[in-house]
Amino acid sequence: MNPETDFRPGLQELADHYKEILHLLGEDPQREGLLKTPMRVAKAMQILTRGYSQDPHKVLTDALFEEKYNQMVIIKDIDFFSLCEHHMLPFYGKVHVAYIPDGYITGLSKIARVVDIFSHRLQVQERLTEQIKDCIQDTLKPLGTMVVIEAKHMCMQMRGVEKQNSITITSAISGAFNQAKTRQEFMALLQGDSKKI
């Protein structure tokens, strides 16, 4: 299913609701610039929440490989965009993932796909961090998993306290990453200059 062209059931009903929202906001949904807006927004919202119809565990198991490698695997600077479930405004930033394999690895792009699936749901950053960690831990059964997310929240920048430069950082750990030395290694590698590689 291509989320840009294949839409889930309820699309027209969603557009009808957005038409009513425009009216309630004091706009005229019949004016030229807004005629197609309800359907555009309905399609956009289905794309931005496509994660509800995707299985992140299957993404990992579809590219599961037996491998004896048992050192840290890090995928850093994974871009993500999500919608805050409290105000349905965007939050966005970078996800950094590390896991220590225990007999199995997955395709590197699959980790980014897991991030994509969970971030394309209504979210809070804390839960998003845990969901990514749990999915990798439960599916790959590694010796440990750690996820760090750095994000800016439009609900803090556009409304409320209107703090433009604040960044929220969350982390979730399991297994070997409960050891301070392992966490410190991951954080040190995140700080490193990847351009040297």
Side-chain angles (χ1 to χ4, degrees):
M1 176 179 164
N2 182 345
E4 297 287 342
T5 55
D6 301 325
F7 294 96
R8 305 192 301 275
L11 183 66
Q12 184 57 57
E13 187 177 1
L14 194 56
D16 292 342
H17 284 294
Y18 278 114
K19 184 175 181 180
E20 180 60 20
I21 287 170
L22 287 173
H23 176 74
L24 291 170
L25 290 175
E27 267 291 358
D28 175 10
Q30 299 304 316
R31 71 175 174 84
E32 183 182 6
L34 293 176
L35 278 175
K36 295 182 180 179
T37 296
M39 183 55 73
R40 287 191 192 107
V41 177
K43 287 179 178 179
M45 289 304 294
Q46 282 209 358
I47 291 168
L48 294 172
T49 60
R50 66 179 180 248
Y52 289 119
S53 60
Q54 298 173 323
D55 182 353
H57 298 278
K58 186 176 186 307
V59 166
L60 292 179
T61 56
D62 281 352
L64 197 61
F65 307 103
E66 194 168 349
E67 188 61 54
K68 292 181 180 178
Y69 185 81
N70 63 357
Q71 301 300 310
M72 198 179 299
V73 177
I74 298 174
I75 305 95
K76 62 183 268 189
D77 294 332
I78 302 168
D79 291 318
F80 84 94
F81 300 87
S82 192
L83 289 176
C84 161
E85 69 180 34
H86 298 146
H87 303 99
M88 291 180 69
L89 290 171
F91 67 100
Y92 61 95
K94 304 279 187 186
V95 179
H96 315 291
V97 176
Y99 74 98
I100 302 172
D102 187 19
Y104 291 93
I105 61 171
T106 190
L108 296 177
S109 67
K110 304 307 178 184
I111 300 292
R113 288 269 292 121
V114 167
V115 170
D116 189 61
I117 289 170
F118 283 119
S119 64
H120 280 80
R121 301 176 182 185
L122 298 182
Q123 279 290 7
V124 294
Q125 184 174 332
E126 297 87 344
R127 183 172 65 238
L128 176 61
T129 311
E130 287 284 345
Q131 286 177 331
I132 295 167
K133 183 263 296 176
D134 289 344
C135 180
I136 294 167
Q137 188 65 41
D138 296 345
T139 308
L140 299 182
K141 308 272 192 258
L143 297 174
T145 306
M146 184 166 177
V147 176
V148 174
I149 298 181
E150 304 172 78
K152 289 191 171 188
H153 291 250
M154 298 308 287
C155 57
M156 284 186 68
Q157 294 180 301
M158 295 175 66
R159 57 163 301 284
V161 295
E162 297 184 12
K163 298 303 179 190
Q164 304 306 311
N165 298 307
S166 63
I167 295 175
T168 302
I169 300 174
T170 51
S171 66
I173 60 174
S174 65
F177 287 95
N178 283 300
Q179 300 172 23
K181 182 179 178 183
T182 310
R183 286 197 308 276
Q184 288 165 0
E185 180 185 350
F186 174 46
M187 297 308 291
L189 288 167
L190 282 187
Q191 309 283 327
D193 186 356
S194 60
K195 293 177 183 176
K196 293 178 182 177
I197 298 173

